[in-house]
Amino acid sequence: MAMSMAKSTSLPGLWKMGTEKPRGLTGNEKKVTLAFKVGGDLGSAVDRKKGPASTKEHRELAGLLKTAGWRMMYSEQPEEPPPAEEEMVPRNMRHPREAPAWLKHDKQVLRFYGFFQETVTERPEENARYRHVSIMFHMEDGTMSMHEPKVENSGLAQGPFLKRQKVLREDGMAYLGPDDLKVGQEITIYGRTIHINGCDRFTRWFFEQNGVWLSPEEPVVEDQWQKSYKLKKMIERGEMPLSRASVDAKHLAKYMSGAPHVDMKFTQFALNERKVLRFRAYWDDHTPYGAR
């Protein structure tokens, strides 16, 4: 027999809320331990949970909390290891285990000697000129510089030929380095082809220490102007002996001027007349009558 659902007119038990335990609780809920001795007085709050009894050690720890940093004061500090030898050296004087290039090769320069040929069109006595240069490769940063020795009264702008900088190879793929600088080879720097014909002793020693063999020194080439210039300077300094024709012309000029003929033996006799070289000595002989 079907029962009809009728509308309930009863009210819930509002007056019982808070006086009975709610249904469905199993007793595992968290118990409240905070209570007040006097209702409405926040200063009368008490903790109803009974903890363990305080001991002397607990009271001492509670007293230490009044001091800031008490943990650092009463904790055992680890023993510091003895300072290493590197730490005893000032930081600005330490050397790293693997020295960088700027420190390992500080003030080390590879110097090469070379020359390039230059066309001369304004002088009839020469059509080309050799210009000698010194190439310095600074190993600390891979830069290069080039210098041309100054020649007196040469009429050329000599001196610094290339300021210190990194120079690209002819193909433009990388910079020139020590592997590109070898005695007997040619390098191209900004369109000028330079033939390397020598280097200094330090450069040769550096390559030998790294297992690279360099070719021996090549003779210095001279053009026609350099040969004539050296000959003229030697004549000005009196380093060139007079030719036979010059000596005969000099004697002929003396005869024509009435000067007497010069005899070398007579001249020596006249200059050293009554001049005697005297030496003092003694004979170390202790035997009678000089029998030794």
Side-chain angles (χ1 to χ4, degrees):
M1 179 176 179
M3 296 180 63
S4 61
M5 297 295 292
K7 185 176 181 182
S8 177
T9 58
S10 62
L11 296 176
L14 297 178
W15 298 103
K16 295 183 179 181
M17 293 182 64
T19 60
E20 294 182 358
K21 293 183 178 181
R23 297 178 181 179
L25 299 179
T26 59
N28 295 328
E29 65 276 5
K30 186 176 181 180
K31 297 180 179 180
V32 178
T33 61
L34 180 62
F36 297 92
K37 291 182 178 181
V38 181
D41 186 5
L42 299 178
S44 62
V46 294
D47 189 3
R48 294 186 299 179
K49 183 180 180 181
K50 296 181 180 180
S54 62
T55 60
K56 182 179 179 181
E57 183 180 359
H58 294 165
R59 290 191 293 270
E60 290 179 355
L61 290 175
L64 292 176
L65 294 176
K66 299 179 181 179
T67 305
W70 65 274
R71 292 181 183 274
M72 299 295 297
M73 294 172 56
Y74 291 92
S75 60
E76 296 182 359
Q77 299 294 335
E79 297 183 0
E80 296 184 359
E85 185 177 357
E86 297 179 356
E87 298 179 357
M88 301 177 65
V89 181
R91 182 166 296 181
N92 59 346
M93 298 178 61
R94 297 178 187 175
H95 286 261
R97 293 184 179 89
E98 295 183 3
W102 61 267
L103 180 61
K104 183 179 180 181
H105 301 293
D106 184 27
K107 298 180 181 179
Q108 293 183 356
V109 180
L110 303 179
R111 181 167 58 178
F112 297 88
Y113 306 107
F115 66 91
F116 64 93
Q117 191 174 13
E118 186 179 51
T119 305
V120 179
T121 58
E122 67 274 7
R123 293 176 65 91
E125 60 270 15
E126 59 178 347
N127 57 3
R129 182 183 298 121
Y130 293 116
R131 300 186 65 172
H132 299 270
V133 293
S134 298
I135 304 172
M136 276 72 71
F137 183 84
H138 304 266
M139 291 189 294
E140 57 184 352
D141 55 359
T143 56
M144 293 179 59
S145 61
M146 193 158 50
H147 177 82
E148 183 180 10
K150 292 185 178 181
V151 180
E152 181 185 1
N153 198 23
S154 64
L156 302 175
Q158 298 173 324
F161 202 83
L162 176 67
K163 292 185 178 180
R164 183 173 174 178
Q165 58 185 287
K166 288 188 176 182
V167 181
L168 285 171
R169 294 178 181 173
E170 188 176 6
D171 54 5
M173 300 299 294
Y175 294 104
L176 289 174
D179 297 337
D180 303 312
L181 304 174
K182 301 289 182 61
V183 178
Q185 294 184 0
E186 294 183 352
I187 59 173
T188 302
I189 300 178
Y190 295 125
R192 294 184 182 271
T193 303
I194 302 174
H195 182 82
I196 301 177
N197 58 356
C199 61
D200 59 2
R201 291 193 302 173
F202 171 77
T203 303
R204 190 172 294 276
W205 172 85
F206 177 81
F207 277 90
E208 290 177 356
Q209 293 296 318
N210 289 272
V212 180
W213 182 81
L214 292 179
S215 302
E217 303 286 330
E218 296 181 359
V220 179
V221 295
E222 295 182 350
D223 51 25
Q224 189 62 32
W225 180 86
Q226 290 175 338
K227 294 178 181 179
S228 59
Y229 178 80
K230 284 187 176 182
L231 180 61
K232 182 174 64 175
K233 286 298 180 181
M234 292 178 64
I235 295 175
E236 290 178 358
R237 293 192 296 264
E239 298 178 0
M240 291 292 294
L242 297 177
S243 61
R244 184 66 182 177
S246 300
V247 174
D248 294 343
K250 188 175 182 180
H251 290 171
L252 180 60
K254 287 185 177 181
Y255 290 144
M256 295 177 63
S257 62
H261 176 66
V262 179
D263 188 0
M264 295 302 298
K265 293 184 178 180
F266 178 77
T267 302
Q268 181 181 1
F269 173 78
L271 293 176
N272 299 321
E273 184 181 8
R274 298 182 181 180
K275 292 182 180 180
V276 179
L277 301 178
R278 183 171 57 180
F279 301 91
R280 299 181 180 275
Y282 69 94
W283 186 9
D284 188 12
D285 187 3
H286 300 282
T287 59
Y289 312 109
R292 191 176 64 177

